[in-house]
Amino acid sequence: MSPVNTLTLSLPLFLLLGSSLALAVGLCLFRLLWHFLGRGVGAVWRGLGPWHAGQRDQRVPGVGAGEPAHPGYWWRQMWVDAVSAAGYGMRVVWTAVRDPWMGRFVRNLFHGRRPSGLRGSSPVSRFLLVVSVAPGVALGALLGAALATVVLGVVHAVFALLLGLVWLGCAAAVPVLRGVERGWLLVRGVRVKCPYPGCYRAVPLAVHRCPNCRAEHRLLRPGRYGVLRHVCGCGHRLPAARLSGRGKLTALCPHCARPLPKTAGTTRVVHAPLVGGTSSGKTMLMAAMVEGLHAWARRGDLTVAYASAEDKRTATDLNQELRQAGWAHATTGGQPRALMLTVTRGRQRRLLYLYDPMGESVSDAERVRAQQYLAHADGIVLVADVLADPKVRGRLSDEDARRAGDARPSPQGPWETYQRLIGELTALAGRRGRLSVAAVVTKRDVLDQLSSLPVAGARIDGWLEEIGLGGLVRALGHDFRSARYWAVSAHAATGTGPLEPEQRRAAEPVLWLLAASGLRTGALIGPDGGTGGKERRLRLRGTGEKERKYSTA
């Protein structure tokens, strides 16, 4: 066959193939590519839903049993939604290729019908539909779907890269926020401890209660449940960081499930246990200290508030008892619950824990060892009832001995109390060399009536040495970082008709311990509760009323 004949026979075939290819390219570029892209993008957008609040989504896992909060969207659900939406978009594109394009349109064309299903008007038109239009439409549909898939794949890859950056940003923000919060607590010296008896344990992270459903969240911090906010199982959004307002929620101890004061996680805590024998005057002294702090607040030098309603109720009941009976009943009930107050001076604030254990708690080493709150002590208030010391009682005349007996002295002297305390305190705290001790001689009103003893002047430590308790003074100076001494009449500072100067005087040991924690209350301390400032410091130097520090030698 000649080349002319071959060309003549193949020309119609080339024309059919060319027309089919041209139809396929035109149909792909000018219609089907954009049609499939539109359907795919719309499907991806719908797949990211649901877009109506409250509508359930089977892709979202339920709330676990350990933590009643939904995992953070960035942690895992973001990827689940992206993959499912991308897959749904691809499926919609190829579903549209199968039906209606390949399943109806192309099939009708190959059967000599129009895409709508109408039969061709003539044999020639039906022939052209079968041999030219049908292959072009089929090829155009496949090319359009393939190109749409490639474009969607590129978009999905870019979107995945952006999601990866978002995930990395959230993952990096979690340790940064935790570190900032931890550093802020360390700089401010905030270490939360449970104030309740039987617990007294450290609280690295409190349990926070949802205000809507009362569910308890143990992991309310930046993490896999959310960077700044967690979503409770009830749908309520909870702040997960201190910066976003977590301190406004009700906090519970994770060990005993009892409520913590609202300022516990933001304010440095100063633990000040009162240590003394039975009937040494601890409870009355604590009441006098609290009233003294309020007396300083009335002068405008401090701002004092009870940490909770229970603390206010406890202090009110104690003051009512003192007004009615003139003295406080002996402390009972095992380990004490701390009486908590917030003390503010200027822009600084402290959360004060005052412990009033029963006197029997220092009657032997085993009971002292059970006082676990001593492990957190920032300073000790040693309540010294000198009338209980045998050496002091031996110096009293008969009349003075009767007066001393009416004051109900403790069965355990201050030196004996100290000896039983110091060994176990070292085992519990392990840092007695860094602690301060405020030694407070109680029952000052009775001591002033005893003619057999010298008058307690400005130097209480020297007065203790003079009456035979020099060993206690030397031991306190040797075993503690610093020691200071007071003589207080809690009876004159509490009850009916209290004396405000004596109240302020009773609060000075606590102010001194607070000053050791960095609160600027040192200027308020003085022999007569003066006005503070430079004048006070000069008077303290002149009278010698300053803390005694002893070297090891």
Side-chain angles (χ1 to χ4, degrees):
M1 185 179 291
S2 65
V4 174
N5 294 332
T6 304
L7 180 62
T8 303
L9 293 175
S10 60
L11 183 60
L13 180 61
F14 283 124
L15 291 176
L16 291 175
L17 292 177
S19 62
S20 298
L21 183 60
L23 177 62
V25 173
L27 189 62
C28 170
L29 294 179
F30 295 103
R31 181 180 178 185
L32 291 184
L33 171 62
W34 311 109
H35 172 71
F36 289 141
L37 274 178
R39 298 199 64 166
V41 171
V44 171
W45 182 254
R46 292 191 303 273
L48 292 174
W51 300 104
H52 300 287
Q55 187 175 348
R56 294 186 61 82
D57 188 352
Q58 66 272 16
R59 296 170 301 176
V60 179
V63 176
E67 180 71 8
H70 295 282
Y73 186 75
W74 70 276
W75 177 254
R76 177 178 175 270
Q77 195 61 37
M78 178 177 68
W79 297 105
V80 173
D81 289 350
V83 171
S84 63
Y88 180 60
M90 296 295 188
R91 289 194 301 270
V92 166
V93 169
W94 288 101
T95 300
V97 172
R98 288 192 303 269
D99 186 22
W101 285 95
M102 301 299 291
R104 283 190 292 156
F105 298 160
V106 174
R107 186 176 63 180
N108 288 336
L109 290 171
F110 273 114
H111 284 82
R113 297 184 179 90
R114 297 180 185 276
S116 61
L118 296 176
R119 188 174 179 82
S121 59
S122 64
V124 176
S125 65
R126 288 194 294 270
F127 175 77
L128 292 177
L129 288 177
V130 172
V131 300
S132 178
V133 177
V137 172
L139 182 60
L142 293 176
L143 286 175
L147 288 178
T149 301
V150 172
V151 173
L152 284 177
V154 173
V155 172
H156 291 159
V158 175
F159 186 60
L161 178 61
L162 295 177
L163 290 183
L165 294 177
V166 171
W167 192 92
L168 289 175
C170 293
V174 168
V176 169
L177 289 175
R178 288 189 184 182
V180 169
E181 187 169 306
R182 182 61 179 168
W184 183 85
L185 294 176
L186 289 175
V187 169
R188 296 179 65 91
V190 178
R191 298 177 181 85
V192 183
K193 306 295 190 304
C194 180
Y196 295 99
C199 188
Y200 302 128
R201 297 170 69 180
V203 182
L205 180 64
V207 176
H208 293 84
R209 182 174 286 165
C210 174
N212 186 44
C213 66
R214 314 298 290 173
E216 296 180 357
H217 295 255
R218 294 181 173 271
L219 298 175
L220 193 58
R221 61 179 178 180
R224 61 192 182 100
Y225 292 99
V227 178
L228 292 177
R229 295 189 180 276
H230 290 190
V231 179
C232 181
C234 67
H236 191 78
R237 296 171 65 85
L238 303 175
R242 196 175 309 280
L243 296 176
S244 56
R246 187 181 63 194
K248 299 178 181 179
L249 300 177
T250 300
L252 308 176
C253 174
H255 310 293
C256 65
R258 285 177 280 192
L260 298 172
K262 290 186 177 181
T263 55
T266 59
T267 307
R268 180 173 178 177
V269 181
V270 176
H271 301 263
L274 281 72
V275 179
T278 304
S279 190
S280 60
K282 298 188 309 300
T283 303
M284 291 187 65
L285 177 61
M286 186 180 71
M289 287 177 171
V290 173
E291 290 301 311
L293 291 174
H294 285 289
W296 283 109
R298 287 191 294 270
R299 285 182 35 149
D301 296 297
L302 298 173
T303 301
V304 180
Y306 294 103
S308 67
E310 185 178 357
D311 295 300
K312 184 176 182 179
R313 183 169 55 252
T314 300
T316 301
D317 293 343
L318 178 57
N319 289 332
Q320 185 176 0
E321 179 184 351
L322 292 174
R323 284 193 296 268
Q324 292 177 353
W327 52 280
H329 294 288
T331 304
T332 58
Q335 296 182 345
R337 174 192 178 276
L339 178 65
M340 296 173 286
L341 304 98
T342 56
V343 182
T344 306
R345 181 166 170 82
R347 300 179 62 181
Q348 295 181 315
R349 183 174 64 179
R350 295 290 182 270
L351 178 58
L352 177 64
Y353 281 23
L354 290 175
Y355 298 91
D356 177 25
M358 60 181 183
E360 291 81 357
S361 61
V362 289
S363 60
D364 57 67
E366 184 177 355
R367 290 186 174 182
V368 175
R369 198 176 304 119
Q371 311 302 308
Q372 294 297 320
Y373 56 88
L374 292 174
H376 312 308
D378 296 283
I380 301 294
V381 179
L382 181 63
V383 183
D385 182 7
V386 298
L387 297 177
D389 187 78
K391 296 180 181 178
V392 175
R393 289 201 304 269
R395 301 180 55 169
L396 301 180
S397 63
D398 294 339
E399 182 66 20
D400 289 344
R402 183 187 61 80
R403 292 194 181 97
D406 293 339
R408 297 190 301 274
S410 173
Q412 183 175 298
W415 174 244
E416 185 180 1
T417 299
Y418 176 75
Q419 285 181 314
R420 293 176 178 174
L421 167 71
I422 192 61
E424 301 305 322
L425 179 62
T426 303
L428 288 170
R431 54 188 179 93
R432 66 180 185 182
R434 300 200 302 270
L435 295 179
S436 300
V437 58
V440 182
V441 176
T442 54
K443 306 177 182 179
R444 173 70 180 263
D445 52 326
V446 178
L447 294 172
D448 289 342
Q449 300 175 18
L450 304 181
S451 59
S452 305
L453 296 179
V455 177
R459 291 293 299 270
I460 303 301
D461 50 351
W463 176 79
L464 288 173
E465 293 176 348
E466 190 176 354
I467 64 175
L469 291 175
L472 176 63
V473 175
R474 290 187 292 273
L476 293 178
H478 177 270
D479 293 332
F480 289 88
R481 179 175 64 90
S482 58
R484 189 161 175 173
Y485 303 83
W486 284 265
V488 173
S489 172
H491 185 271
T494 58
T496 304
L499 302 176
E500 188 161 312
E502 192 64 21
Q503 288 179 334
R504 295 198 300 270
R505 178 69 174 173
E508 288 188 7
V510 174
L511 296 176
W512 183 65
L513 294 179
L514 290 173
S517 72
L519 190 66
R520 295 190 298 270
T521 54
L524 303 178
I525 303 170
D528 58 353
T531 59
K534 183 176 180 181
E535 178 184 0
R536 169 167 308 286
R537 291 193 291 272
L538 293 174
R539 292 173 65 182
L540 292 179
R541 294 191 186 100
T543 59
E545 179 70 2
K546 58 183 178 181
E547 66 184 47
R548 292 193 56 166
K549 295 184 180 179
Y550 296 84
S551 64
T552 305

